Every structure is written in structure tokens, then in C-alpha cells.
Amino acid sequence: FSLHLSLHFLRTSSTSPSLYSVYLYTQMIAIQRTSASLVGATTTGARSSPATSRKNHRAAAASTVTRRDGMRSHVTSMERRTKNSFRLPAIAMPSPEVNERMQTMTYNETGKWRENFDLAGWAKEIREVEKEQRSDKYHEEDVKHLKKILGWANMCYYGGLGVMFLLPQLGVAQAFGANVLGAFMMSTAICARWTMVGHHVCHGGYNAAMTEGNEIKGRFHRRKFARGPWNRIIDWMDWMMPEAWDVEHNHLHHYQLGEDADPDLVERNMKTTREGPMPMWARYMQVAALSVIWKWFYYAPNTMKELFARRAREAEKRGEESYQPYTTGSMPSTVLTTVQSAFQGNFGAIIETAKCFAPYATFQFGVLPAVGYAIGGAQMAMATLATTLLADLFTNLHSFIVIATNHVGDDIYRFESETKPRTDDFYMRAVIGSANFRTGGDVNDFMHGWLNYQIEHHMWPDMSMRCYQRAQPKVKAICEKYGMPYVQENVFKRVGQLVDVMVGKRTMLVWENGD
């Protein structure tokens, strides 16, 4: 009672605020000292690093320096606060040894760039680039460019159909009755419509250009594009459901890049392969097989899992009963796990996955072969089916090469702590947690699916494709000026990095380890 009364007097009197602060400080110190054993035990358990084993092989290269970069102090996932919990604030004792320890950070050889890094200065220049690129003077140019890229994609798709149906003799190379040229053209189009058109539109990259006042005026707005059954057929003919992909990619992956909550964290998702007893040759075979089936085997079911997880969280907030048919927890859901669940009596996951697959599978492997049958009978129908199956293998491989490689490698960081969107730290993580490929020129960028601008895209996910082209040289120059790593390499070299991480031959950098 006396403590509350004293606090009330100090808070309401004309006494200097600094006196009130000193009083709070001394009271907290007293509380901490009386509960030191309890708090010490709790803190020790909470702050133990889940990656301690990684530090041993880096110890020889480690050096201790005083932090001068002003970077924020992160809180690990084990130390997160909830709305209904209370934890005694960790107030540093007025001891030189403690203060010195709080101001130091151990950096490994890979982390030497962090010693004198000026985060605030770097971020200030990055925000200037962002401000310039968000100018409405680019809207018309950006939409015109988007339509050009969509036109290229449509030319590839309908050109592939023409080669397959009308001019089968042009498919010189045949594979089990499939028209290879037609399959390649169709696969390129499928990849392009997802990675370039659907990807950037669903991120809101063209929202400003599609809006007048509060009214949506155009098709390429994220609230209209691919929404509903018919628009999915017109805008988004692929294995994934747009709404599910929006949750998994636009929200979880983009705003929790490289964290444990990132559903696309390769090192975590491949843990069974990396750490299991499988021989190395078998691991490489597994990765090769996954590269040509990953969209339907892994990506589509896992996006559905994240969609249902979000719906379950929202239902719980409303006090309603939640439903989550996907039961793999923090590990990804795949076609294999949905089948296993069905054998255990849980048919919900396999039913929802089949519903997700239905539009694309029905059109590609049902409607198109039926058209082939109408044109040339059973032989043409079988050739069309073979061609569409080959096209799907091609587009899986193409997208695997340009997508799975974006955030993995022994020169790319992962994070054991959270950050907030649009902060300086968020922008920094976008750079050091991503890799670019060769950039520049619409043809080059088209074949890379515009995923060769991952650094810029993760800083500003809601910008247009042309914005990334304009901003990339400026961003790279700023990073070089401040000494920040900016990874840009040939896409096939990045594939090597990806595969080695997947099989356990390479390990990613960890920010909290001082890498």
C-alpha cells in the first residue's frame, strides 16, 4: 500500500519526472534482488540458444568487439511476451562488468562487416530510393510494362497450344509422345503468369495505379485479381489456391523472412533429410525428384495448411470452434502427409488438397486432352496429355530453380528473433537474407521470373516489376558504400548452394551467433 501511495504522490506532484524515474529504478532493483534466484533460473532457460552447437566450429574465427552499430536488441521466440503475461523487466545492475557485457557482441569472420555498420545512415538512403520509386509518375509506365509481360506469357501459352494441336510436326523433339517444344512454351507461360503477373499483383504492386480515390478501377488490384472461381481460371491457372498462397507467401514468408515462423525456411524444412541416416547419393536423388514435383507435392498443400491455421486463429479470437485438417505442426504439409493422415482416419487434409488441385488439374489434364481428342482422336488426346504432363514437369523445375534458391546458402542469414515490418532492421534483413541473380533487361528478367530482384522485392514487396529494375543498381551501390553484403550470383551457382543446404553439406549463417 505504501509503495502505491508513494508512486501516486510522485506521479501527480510537480516533482521532476527524473525523480520519478529514479524512484521506479530503485524499486525495481529491490524487487529483482529479492527474487534473484527465481528470475535467474527463468532467464537462463529462456535465453539458451537453440543453435549453440553451431558456435563451436566458428569459435576459432571469433573475435569480440564493442557494438557501435546501434542495432536493436532482439528478443528470441522463447522470450516473447503475450498480452496476458507479465515478466519482471530485466534491469541492468549498475556494474561496469555488466554494462560492458551488454555493449559487446561476438562477431565471426563472416560478421566483420557488422563492427562499424551504420544501420541508420544506410536505411536513410534506402528510404530515399523507396520514396522516389513510389512516385505516381511511374504508374502509367508500370501498368503498361505489366501488360507487356502478360502478353509475352500469353503468347508462350497459346503458341504452345498451337504447336501442340495445329502444327505437331514442329515438335521435332518427342518424349514419350509429348511435344517438347509445345511443353516448353506452355511451361514458361505458366511460370511467368505466376511468378511475375500473379505474384506482383497479389502483393499489391499495382494497387495505387488501379485506384482512383477509394474506388478500384482496374483488374490488376490485389482485391480483384484471381478472386472467385472464374477469376482463378482467367488469372491464376496453377496448383495453388490464391487465397492460401496470399497467407503463406505474402504474410508469413515476407514479413518473417528467415525466422522460425517463415514457412519457406529450407534449412528447417529439410531437417529430416539433412540430419537423417540417408546416404548422400540418396539425398541428392530426393532433391532431384522434388524439383520436378514440388509445386503440387509440397507448396500447394503447405499453403493450404497455413490458410487453415490462420482461419483457426481468427475463429479462436471470436470464441468460435476452429478447424485445422492439417496436423503437421511447424513442419510442412505435403501430399505424403495428407495421405498418411487419411490412413489414420483424418480425411480432411486430403479432401481440402484435392479441392485446391481441382481447377488446374481438370483443365490441364482433362479439358486439353479432350480438345486433342476432338481434333485428332485418341492418339492426339494421348499426345496432348503427355505434353501437358511434360509441361508441368518443366514449369516445376523452372520455378524451383528461380524460387527455392532465393533465401538459402552459406552466405545467407537466417534469424532466431523477430523484427517489425518497415523498420530499418526489416530492410537490412531483406538484403542479408536474400540473393539476387543477374539483373537487367526484360528478356533476362522474364526468364528469371523477375525473382532475380529478391533483395529489393523483400524490402518493398508492394512495388511493381519496373520499380525493382529501376531501384536495384541504386540499392546495390548503397550497400557497397556502407559495407553491407549484397549477394548477387548466377542462378545456377545459387542452385548449387540450395542443393548443398538441402542435403546437409552447407549451413546458413545465423545472425544471433555473430556471423
Side-chain angles (χ1 to χ4, degrees):
F1 173 81
S2 62
L3 172 63
H4 283 283
L5 186 61
S6 301
L7 286 174
H8 176 73
F9 169 77
L10 286 170
R11 191 163 44 231
T12 57
S13 68
S14 59
T15 307
S16 170
S18 61
L19 179 60
Y20 176 58
S21 300
V22 170
Y23 181 82
L24 285 178
Y25 180 88
T26 56
Q27 290 297 327
M28 284 297 187
I29 292 298
I31 295 171
Q32 279 194 315
R33 286 173 174 169
T34 57
S35 57
S37 59
L38 177 60
V39 175
T42 304
T43 304
T44 301
R47 292 184 179 176
S48 58
S49 170
T52 302
S53 60
R54 288 198 185 101
K55 293 182 180 178
N56 296 332
H57 74 279
R58 296 188 175 103
S63 63
T64 303
V65 298
T66 301
R67 287 193 66 133
R68 294 186 292 269
D69 53 15
M71 293 182 186
R72 63 189 292 272
S73 176
H74 296 295
V75 181
T76 66
S77 58
M78 299 180 68
E79 295 174 306
R80 295 172 194 157
R81 298 182 183 184
T82 61
K83 292 181 179 179
N84 299 320
S85 68
F86 173 78
R87 179 174 294 159
L88 189 64
I91 301 177
M93 304 295 287
S95 164
E97 293 78 15
V98 174
N99 289 336
E100 181 180 355
R101 187 161 60 249
M102 290 180 66
Q103 294 298 321
T104 62
M105 177 68 181
T106 301
Y107 295 126
N108 301 306
E109 283 300 318
T110 52
K112 288 294 186 180
W113 67 272
R114 299 167 60 179
E115 294 181 10
N116 300 298
F117 179 61
D118 180 8
L119 177 62
W122 173 83
K124 181 176 182 294
E125 295 195 32
I126 289 294
R127 292 179 191 279
E128 290 172 358
V129 176
E130 176 185 11
K131 182 179 179 181
E132 199 275 331
Q133 292 303 318
R134 292 193 183 279
S135 171
D136 56 9
K137 68 182 181 182
Y138 293 121
H139 288 174
E140 184 176 351
E141 174 191 342
D142 291 350
V143 173
K144 183 178 179 180
H145 178 263
L146 171 65
K147 291 179 179 179
K148 181 180 80 169
I149 296 301
L150 178 58
W152 287 8
N154 289 337
M155 285 174 59
C156 287
Y157 192 79
Y158 295 117
L161 291 180
V163 168
M164 181 172 62
F165 287 139
L166 305 178
L167 300 170
Q169 66 272 20
L170 292 181
V172 177
Q174 299 288 321
F176 305 103
N179 186 310
V180 177
L181 177 60
F184 176 75
M185 295 177 69
M186 292 171 64
S187 73
T188 302
I190 293 169
C191 185
R193 291 194 302 202
W194 173 36
T195 63
M196 285 176 274
V197 181
H199 183 196
H200 295 97
V201 171
C202 290
H203 266 299
Y206 300 89
N207 279 8
M210 296 288 110
T211 306
E212 292 184 12
N214 295 322
E215 186 176 355
I216 299 174
K217 290 291 187 178
R219 166 192 175 191
F220 302 110
H221 192 287
R222 73 185 309 268
R223 293 182 183 176
K224 291 186 65 174
F225 190 84
R227 298 290 177 172
W230 177 247
N231 284 341
R232 180 180 176 184
I233 294 172
I234 299 299
D235 296 331
W236 185 285
M237 185 53 67
D238 216 317
W239 288 108
M240 297 76 65
M241 181 184 294
E243 295 87 346
W245 182 81
D246 180 68
V247 172
E248 193 271 359
H249 179 81
N250 292 359
H251 295 273
L252 297 178
H253 169 63
H254 254 273
Y255 292 101
Q256 298 174 101
L257 175 65
E259 300 174 13
D260 287 339
D262 181 357
D264 296 335
L265 187 58
V266 172
E267 200 172 55
R268 190 262 330 282
N269 290 349
M270 296 297 292
K271 181 179 180 180
T272 303
T273 301
R274 285 170 53 84
E275 300 178 1
M278 190 183 302
M280 192 59 67
W281 67 266
R283 299 183 190 188
Y284 280 112
M285 292 294 292
Q286 183 185 49
V287 172
L290 182 63
S291 69
V292 293
I293 62 173
W294 77 285
K295 287 172 69 177
W296 60 266
F297 180 80
Y298 151 72
Y299 204 43
N302 202 50
T303 60
M304 292 298 292
K305 183 195 86 168
E306 299 297 348
L307 174 65
F308 275 92
R310 181 176 182 176
R311 289 175 177 175
R313 291 191 297 270
E314 293 173 348
E316 290 173 1
K317 289 180 180 178
R318 297 190 300 267
E320 301 172 359
E321 186 176 351
S322 62
Y323 173 60
Q324 170 56 292
Y326 298 88
T327 57
T328 56
S330 62
M331 296 304 290
S333 291
T334 65
V335 167
L336 179 60
T337 64
T338 63
V339 172
Q340 290 172 339
S341 294
F343 277 108
Q344 296 170 0
N346 174 21
F347 294 95
I350 199 168
I351 291 172
E352 296 298 337
T353 301
K355 288 161 62 177
C356 174
F357 287 173
Y360 178 78
T362 300
F363 183 79
Q364 286 290 109
F365 312 124
V367 174
L368 291 181
V371 173
Y373 182 85
I375 294 174
Q379 184 176 359
M380 176 63 79
M382 292 304 297
T384 302
L385 178 60
T387 301
T388 57
L389 289 170
L390 183 62
D392 194 67
L393 293 176
F394 282 167
T395 198
N396 269 274
L397 180 60
H398 187 178
S399 57
F400 181 84
I401 289 172
V402 298
I403 293 176
T405 47
N406 291 151
H407 308 288
V408 63
D410 62 7
D411 51 358
I412 300 297
Y413 284 85
R414 59 177 294 185
F415 309 94
E416 294 174 348
S417 54
E418 296 178 326
T419 192
K420 294 181 179 180
R422 310 295 186 185
T423 60
D424 295 354
D425 189 47
F426 176 84
Y427 288 153
M428 179 194 68
R429 289 185 179 207
V431 178
I432 64 176
S434 308
N436 277 9
F437 315 134
R438 184 166 69 91
T439 54
D442 282 354
V443 174
N444 171 74
D445 295 345
F446 183 88
M447 294 309 298
H448 282 91
W450 236 269
L451 294 159
N452 46 339
Y453 295 94
Q454 277 298 288
I455 289 173
E456 293 72 27
H457 178 55
H458 266 264
M459 285 197 288
W460 314 305
D462 57 343
M463 281 192 182
S464 70
M465 288 182 280
R466 280 289 291 131
C467 282
Y468 301 135
Q469 279 186 329
R470 293 188 295 261
Q472 187 272 332
K474 300 177 182 179
V475 171
K476 185 175 183 179
I478 295 170
C479 291
E480 291 175 350
K481 173 182 174 181
Y482 284 85
M484 174 185 281
Y486 185 101
V487 178
Q488 184 172 23
E489 201 170 25
N490 179 280
V491 66
F492 294 107
K493 290 184 179 179
R494 299 313 301 179
V495 170
Q497 284 271 3
L498 164 70
V499 173
D500 283 351
V501 170
M502 294 179 79
V503 301
K505 289 182 67 175
R506 296 179 189 258
T507 300
M508 296 177 65
L509 301 174
V510 180
W511 175 259
E512 290 76 9
N513 286 356
D515 292 338

